[in-house]
Amino acid sequence: MLVSLVALWGFSAWVTVSDGVNLLWATTIDANVVEPSEPLLWGLQRERRLTIDALGSGTALTQQLRAQREDNDRLRQAFDTSARSSTTQWAAADALITRSHEVLRQLATLPELRRSIDAGKQNRKQAQAAYDGLIDSFYPMYDTALAVLGDEQIDKDGRTLTAMSRARELLSRQDALVSGILAGGGFTRDDQAAVAKASIIAAYALDQAASALPAEDQQAFREWRAGASVTQLRALERTMASADPTGSAPITAQQWRTAADGSLSGLNTMIQDGGDHLVDRAAPVAVGVLVRLLIAGGLGLVAVVASIVLAVTTTRALLAQLNRLRAAALDLAERRLPGVVERVSHGQNVDLAEEAPPLAFGPDEIGEVARAFNTVQETAIRVSVEQAELRLSTRNTLTSLARRTQGLVKRQLDALDVMQRRATTPEELTDLYALDHLVVRTRRAAENLLVLAGATPARTWRRSVPLLDVVRGALAEVEDYRRVSINPLDDSHLLGKAVGDLTHLLAELIDNAVSFSPPNTAVTVSGQHVANGYVLEIEDRGLGMSSADLAEANRQIADPPEFKITGTAARLGFYVVSRLAARHDIVVTLKSSPYGGVAAVVLVPLALLQEPEQGDPFDPDAPSPEQTTAPTAPARPRPRSSVQQGATPPPHLPQRTTPAVPRPDRTAPPLSAPTPSTAPAFALPVRQRTTPTAPPPPQTTPPTADRPLFTPGGLPLRVPQTSLVPELRDQPAPSATSAWPDEPTPGIADDEDELRTRLAALQRGTVRGRAAAERLLGERDPYGDQEST
């Protein structure tokens, strides 16, 4: 509305100002064009008459003609300066500028015309025609310079005065013609006809122009026409028209000069008086323009300023209320709603009336908006509370499901233990090993639910665990574990509180590397000490990820978003990894591998590392580190005999939960077998066949000082074990029936009784190992095979 008011004021002010501008331009044009040109026009008319007189009489330049030429040159220079001024260029229209330039161009030919006349190159008629053309160029300029003041009568009177000025020019031409004839002394029929024609034209032009004059100016014209000079002039015209054209002129030059000068002077006075009357009549019009300009410009401006002030004050009041409403909305969005959601997520009660107090802004439109906002904020807070309660309920549901799943997993593992003790064939044992591996993976899936729900998995350890065992435990939770290669790791230990989470984290990364790489490629796990902790790197040779996907994955791992049920499940592994890493300030970074795949770098901080322990000081029956360390899990077990190939366990079975849990080996050999450190990994024990063997060779003692070193024939005497070190002496040489041969004994799996005997020995060893592990670990957690905290 304010803009419309300003636009309306601007339009009315411009209409009024345009009239004032026209008045200003008219004044400028009159002062710079019309006034300087009128004296020049009259001077040119006199110069024309004097020139024709001189040419008619045949005399040289007179002093009067020379003086008139000098006056005209001065007037021409003044007119040229004023017509070309900058103010004239601003005020004049394009048509006026064009016609004024045409007048100046005609005036520029005046010196050449004078020289031609002075040289006798032009006669009387030619000179008069040249001057007539020069003077005629003034009147189109006057027509264009006529100001339009918005008053029809004034504009009409101005055009009438211009017509009177043109009629005066015709009378001046008649004067010049007659003066030239009289100066020559002769009077011909052509001269008589020319004078009559000029007289009729001048009289007709004067009558036509005078008929349009105002009443007071018509009275002045009638008085001029009835004057003695005009009467004498008309009498002389009639005399010349009736005289004999074959003799001398019927009138004298002095008679004509007296009558013509009086007539032209009176007519010029009448025209000037008419112009003064026109200015007097135009003065009220100009005053009206100024008054309209003052009213429309001044008072309109005052009204616009008052409207602006009123609008500003009203706007400030409205803005103050709107700012309060905006502050309330921002407070709801940035402080109250997040606080309500956080408190509800922690199980606290929320009072909607206290959290959403109503806003009071009065009965106006803004008050209506505030009341609508009150409804909006109450609905928003109520929905936020319901959503927070829904998320809390969802987390509790996930936690309950995960706990129940962990209980079922524990029962499955117990059942598998019993079934493995009762297994009698290698095929059954292999199937049980595969089922055991699936159960371990199921336990990791259940722990993923706990991580998504924000709960903490129950698997914890009191003592530190070697990082190598942590990596082995993670490898045990991967389906295609045979493709994973573990590079040598140093003897670094991890605090017990981070063992379960780091094992889960590494299992997720290794599983991801195995899943997104070709089956014929290997996944490498390596590690080393750095300044800020210990770095574990998992590198695959798969398809890899683009730079944008790597940046997005690293951003998600570094700053995990809030888990939503409606969110995408394509990258839940990254979410689980980020949550597990955030618990212990572990830094996980994904980068491109030189082999084309992805390398995951896991930085374990120094705070989670510990020197290797030599036993639990609070447990007098705690085994040594050698006893609690699980056997090494090879990437691909070597093939054994038919029994061994059918019952080769995956690497996690000797320590089903994680490598840090010191469970006894289910395939532990009998007491007479070598220790796991010297036996091949995860190979079933093979006892010596009961076939008769040759007696051992007689023991040969090394030579002593009283025993000769040469035979009776003088040859050197060979004594067995003479060159061996003391530790290797008196050890029986390996035979073809050794209990742990490098290659399986042919036909050993064909003896069913022998196989049954070995499986029974395996079960007895398993029972003894579990009893020892239970004494070491004490009571286990009810949700799985783990240490209690």
Side-chain angles (χ1 to χ4, degrees):
M1 181 177 179
L2 181 61
V3 175
S4 301
L5 180 61
V6 172
L8 180 61
W9 169 79
F11 176 75
S12 61
W14 170 247
V15 171
T16 307
V17 169
S18 63
D19 295 339
V21 171
N22 290 336
L23 179 61
L24 177 62
W25 290 160
T27 304
T28 302
I29 291 171
D30 182 72
N32 293 350
V33 177
V34 178
E35 291 182 2
S37 64
E38 286 182 346
L40 178 60
L41 177 64
W42 299 334
L44 290 175
Q45 290 174 351
R46 286 192 296 269
E47 182 180 345
R48 176 181 59 186
R49 181 179 60 80
L50 292 175
T51 301
I52 293 175
D53 284 347
L55 291 176
S57 62
T59 61
L61 293 175
T62 62
Q63 183 66 29
Q64 187 179 5
L65 177 58
R66 186 177 293 108
Q68 186 63 50
R69 286 181 176 180
E70 292 177 355
D71 290 343
N72 289 344
D73 289 341
R74 179 179 53 79
L75 293 174
R76 180 170 64 89
Q77 184 64 35
F79 173 71
D80 184 271
T81 302
S82 62
R84 296 182 186 273
S85 64
S86 59
T87 55
T88 304
Q89 300 299 319
W90 275 99
D94 293 339
L96 178 59
I97 293 175
T98 300
R99 293 182 180 182
S100 64
H101 287 175
E102 177 63 22
V103 173
L104 294 176
R105 188 184 65 81
Q106 293 287 343
L107 290 175
T109 64
L110 184 59
E112 180 64 25
L113 175 63
R114 290 170 179 174
R115 286 191 296 270
S116 177
I117 293 173
D118 294 342
K121 296 180 180 180
Q122 294 190 10
N123 56 23
R124 179 166 49 85
K125 292 183 179 180
Q126 292 174 343
Q128 183 171 357
Y131 275 102
D132 290 347
L134 176 62
I135 293 173
D136 285 341
S137 64
F138 279 77
Y139 291 101
M141 180 183 68
Y142 289 154
D143 293 338
T144 308
L146 182 63
V148 180
L149 300 179
D151 190 289
E152 295 182 359
Q153 186 61 38
I154 293 177
D155 295 340
K156 178 177 177 294
D157 293 344
R159 288 191 294 271
T160 301
L161 288 178
T162 301
M164 288 297 296
S165 178
R166 188 183 294 273
R168 181 186 178 281
E169 162 60 17
L170 295 176
L171 183 60
S172 177
R173 289 183 183 182
Q174 181 186 359
D175 176 32
L177 176 63
V178 174
S179 295
I181 293 173
L182 295 177
F187 187 65
T188 64
R189 189 174 298 277
D190 292 338
D191 293 338
Q192 188 179 29
V195 171
K197 179 180 179 181
S199 176
I200 293 173
I201 292 175
Y204 177 79
L206 285 172
D207 291 340
Q208 288 294 324
S211 64
L213 289 174
E216 54 181 349
D217 292 337
Q218 285 186 358
Q219 179 63 31
F221 177 75
R222 285 192 294 268
E223 291 176 359
W224 170 79
R225 188 170 55 181
S229 298
V230 177
T231 303
Q232 185 181 1
L233 183 66
R234 296 295 179 233
L236 293 176
E237 291 175 350
R238 288 192 296 271
T239 300
M240 294 182 70
S242 61
D244 185 7
T246 59
S248 60
I251 62 175
T252 64
Q254 183 62 36
Q255 291 175 338
W256 179 259
R257 182 82 275 123
T258 301
D261 288 344
S263 298
L264 290 173
S265 177
L267 182 59
N268 189 41
T269 301
M270 188 200 69
I271 293 174
Q272 288 181 346
D273 292 342
D276 294 339
H277 296 160
L278 179 63
V279 171
D280 293 339
R281 291 194 301 272
V285 177
V287 172
V289 170
L290 296 177
V291 170
R292 290 198 304 271
L293 178 61
L294 179 62
I295 293 176
L299 297 182
L301 180 61
V302 171
V304 169
V305 171
S307 300
I308 292 175
V309 172
L310 180 62
V312 169
T313 54
T314 305
T315 303
R316 291 182 62 182
L318 293 176
L319 287 178
Q321 291 181 314
L322 291 176
N323 285 332
R324 289 176 54 199
L325 189 61
R326 173 179 174 273
L330 290 178
D331 180 67
L332 173 66
E334 297 178 358
R335 185 182 63 85
R336 283 188 291 165
L337 275 181
V340 168
V341 172
E342 182 178 2
R343 278 182 287 170
V344 172
S345 62
H346 288 85
Q348 300 180 8
N349 295 327
V350 175
D351 186 4
L352 294 180
E354 181 181 356
E355 296 297 334
L359 302 176
F361 286 90
D364 55 0
E365 288 78 5
I366 297 181
E368 294 292 335
V369 174
R371 284 188 289 273
F373 178 75
N374 291 335
T375 304
V376 170
Q377 72 172 352
E378 290 176 1
T379 304
I381 292 180
R382 183 173 61 255
V383 171
S384 299
V385 170
E386 293 175 355
Q387 290 295 323
E389 292 176 348
L390 177 61
R391 287 194 294 270
L392 180 60
S393 176
T394 302
R395 288 199 297 267
N396 293 335
T397 302
L398 292 178
T399 303
S400 178
L401 290 176
R403 297 299 187 190
R404 293 181 181 182
T405 303
Q406 284 185 328
L408 294 176
V409 167
K410 189 263 180 186
R411 294 172 59 184
Q412 290 176 0
L413 292 175
D414 292 341
L416 286 174
D417 289 340
V418 175
M419 294 172 66
Q420 288 169 4
R421 296 190 191 100
R422 297 175 182 176
T424 58
T425 62
E427 291 78 6
E428 293 179 356
L429 196 58
T430 300
D431 294 339
L432 293 176
Y433 286 160
L435 185 59
D436 192 295
H437 185 68
L438 293 176
V439 172
V440 173
R441 293 173 57 199
T442 304
R443 180 180 59 192
R444 179 160 64 91
E447 291 181 353
N448 284 345
L449 291 179
L450 292 176
V451 174
L452 296 179
T456 303
R459 288 194 298 168
T460 55
W461 282 259
R462 293 175 300 174
R463 300 176 57 187
S464 61
V465 177
L467 280 174
L468 178 59
D469 292 343
V470 174
V471 175
R472 288 172 177 169
L475 183 61
E477 299 182 4
V478 178
E479 179 180 6
D480 201 0
Y481 62 89
R482 295 179 179 85
R483 291 174 47 201
V484 182
S485 175
I486 304 177
N487 291 339
L489 305 177
D490 55 14
D491 190 17
S492 298
H493 283 59
L494 184 69
L495 291 180
K497 64 178 182 179
V499 170
D501 292 337
L502 183 59
T503 302
H504 192 171
L505 185 150
L506 294 176
E508 291 289 341
L509 295 176
I510 295 174
D511 194 8
N512 186 76
V514 170
S515 301
F516 292 95
S517 60
N520 58 344
T521 60
V523 175
T524 305
V525 180
S526 59
Q528 61 178 344
H529 267 289
V530 294
N532 296 328
Y534 196 90
V535 169
L536 292 170
E537 185 171 359
I538 303 166
E539 183 178 22
D540 65 70
R541 303 185 182 184
L543 302 177
M545 299 173 64
S546 63
S547 301
D549 291 339
L550 283 175
E552 176 63 21
N554 286 322
R555 186 198 62 79
Q556 184 176 353
I557 292 175
D559 186 16
E562 183 181 359
F563 175 71
K564 298 180 180 179
I565 299 297
T566 58
T568 177
R571 294 187 176 182
L572 283 179
F574 288 154
Y575 182 84
V576 173
V577 168
S578 63
R579 288 298 184 183
L580 293 174
R583 291 178 181 174
H584 306 286
D585 295 331
I586 298 174
V587 179
V588 180
T589 306
L590 301 182
K591 64 179 183 179
S592 297
S593 172
Y595 300 101
V598 176
V601 180
V602 181
L603 176 60
V604 181
L606 291 173
L608 299 180
L609 300 179
Q610 187 178 7
E611 293 296 329
E613 298 181 1
Q614 299 300 325
D616 190 352
F618 302 100
D619 188 359
D621 297 330
S624 62
E626 292 77 4
Q627 294 173 334
T628 58
T629 302
T632 303
R636 296 182 185 273
R638 293 191 304 171
R640 298 296 177 187
S641 63
S642 59
V643 178
Q644 293 168 334
Q645 293 178 4
T648 301
H652 70 285
L653 289 181
Q655 52 226 10
R656 185 172 55 213
T657 58
T658 62
V661 179
R663 299 181 63 94
D665 192 349
R666 293 173 182 167
T667 61
L671 297 178
S672 59
T675 61
S677 60
T678 60
F682 308 116
L684 285 175
V686 181
R687 294 194 304 175
Q688 184 176 349
R689 293 174 63 90
T690 58
T691 57
T693 58
Q699 181 70 28
T700 304
T701 59
T704 58
D706 57 352
R707 185 173 180 180
L709 300 179
F710 298 93
T711 62
L715 296 176
L717 179 63
R718 180 179 179 276
V719 179
Q721 300 185 1
T722 302
S723 301
L724 294 178
V725 296
E727 289 81 1
L728 297 180
R729 292 179 180 176
D730 300 328
Q731 296 292 334
S735 62
T737 59
S738 175
W740 297 96
D742 291 337
E743 295 297 332
T745 303
I748 191 170
D750 298 334
D751 192 347
E752 297 182 358
D753 295 337
E754 182 68 18
L755 178 59
R756 186 179 298 106
T757 302
R758 293 185 181 184
L759 291 177
L762 174 62
Q763 292 178 356
R764 290 194 297 271
T766 302
V767 171
R768 291 196 300 271
R770 294 189 180 199
E774 291 177 356
R775 289 196 303 270
L776 174 63
L777 298 178
E779 183 182 0
R780 291 183 292 179
D781 187 85
Y783 293 105
D785 292 345
Q786 62 232 4
E787 296 183 5
S788 64
T789 56

